[in-house]
Amino acid sequence: SKIERGYMVSLKDIISCFKMENFDMRYIIRGLIDGSLSSLGVVIGASGGDVSVIIAAGIGGGVANGISNILGALTAERAILEGMRASQEKVLLREEGSLKTALFYKKALNKTAVSGVGDGLSTTFGSVIPVIPFLFLRKDLAIITAIIITLAILFGLGVFIGRISKENLAISGLKMVLGGLAVALISFTIEHML
């Protein structure tokens, strides 16, 4: 059939790329870590300014970071996929570009797109987390709350990572918390220097 030879991708094949088993969880984890840590740095760094500036900087930076991660993941993963395709064509003594119509290649492209978008969206979501306290609390209390919430989320992500990698859950969580504390300390230092 045409599908077996790789000439057609059905709607079912495309939808299957959006199923959980085809979803690469590492991009979600990475995005949440990236978004929450970078936004924490932004809100602490902007904490000398007005609350509206902190909120705008945190959300604006998070959206920009999310878009950047989508583009970065899509272009980097696509480049690797193209290199692998070209290598396979060479080994199989096939014409350049001949495997672009193969079902496995199209599925890999779709999976790359889904993972890249997941990375960017989770980065944007993660970046909103440190901003939320500034919507409801006084600035001094919001900074402390943003740090605590971010560290709690990082600890949870660390435990999740520890469970996947079969490491000590507490140590894995604490490693992530140390990363968050380092970001907070560096950001406070920079904010006070300027």
Side-chain angles (χ1 to χ4, degrees):
S1 81
K2 286 185 175 183
I3 291 177
E4 288 172 3
R5 290 191 304 244
Y7 295 120
M8 297 178 78
V9 176
S10 70
L11 182 58
K12 183 180 176 183
D13 293 325
I14 293 169
I15 291 171
S16 74
C17 292
F18 292 93
K19 291 181 180 174
M20 205 55 186
E21 70 263 11
N22 290 326
F23 203 70
D24 200 336
M25 194 58 149
R26 67 183 157 180
Y27 289 101
I28 302 301
I29 294 168
R30 194 190 79 73
L32 288 170
I33 293 167
D34 185 19
S36 61
L37 283 178
S38 59
S39 185
L40 181 63
V42 168
V43 298
I44 292 172
S47 65
D50 187 58
V51 170
S52 63
V53 171
I54 297 169
I55 293 169
I59 293 174
V63 169
N65 195 6
I67 292 170
S68 172
N69 281 355
I70 289 172
L71 292 175
L74 292 178
T75 55
E77 294 292 330
R78 174 96 187 231
I80 290 168
L81 190 58
E82 287 294 324
M84 289 171 45
R85 179 199 45 80
S87 293
Q88 289 173 343
E89 288 170 346
K90 198 174 238 181
V91 167
L92 296 170
L93 303 174
R94 303 277 303 263
E95 184 179 320
E96 165 98 30
S98 64
L99 292 180
K100 284 187 174 185
T101 58
L103 182 59
F104 77 88
Y105 176 76
K106 290 181 179 184
K107 280 186 171 185
L109 279 179
N110 287 338
K111 185 174 181 178
T112 297
V114 170
S115 295
V117 170
D119 183 345
L121 292 177
S122 63
T123 298
T124 302
F125 177 76
S127 70
V128 172
I129 293 166
V131 175
I132 292 172
F134 291 92
L135 299 171
F136 304 106
L137 303 171
R138 290 186 337 261
K139 184 166 64 169
D140 57 340
L141 190 56
I143 292 169
I144 294 167
T145 305
I147 293 168
I148 292 169
I149 289 171
T150 303
L151 294 179
I153 287 170
L154 290 171
F155 183 81
L157 288 169
V159 167
F160 182 74
I161 292 166
R163 183 167 290 173
I164 291 171
S165 62
K166 308 288 188 224
E167 293 180 15
N168 182 298
L169 302 183
I171 291 174
S172 184
L174 288 174
K175 286 179 189 176
M176 295 298 294
V177 168
L178 287 175
L181 288 172
V183 167
L185 180 63
I186 292 167
S187 299
F188 273 122
T189 302
I190 292 169
E191 195 275 329
H192 288 311
M193 287 174 35
L194 301 175

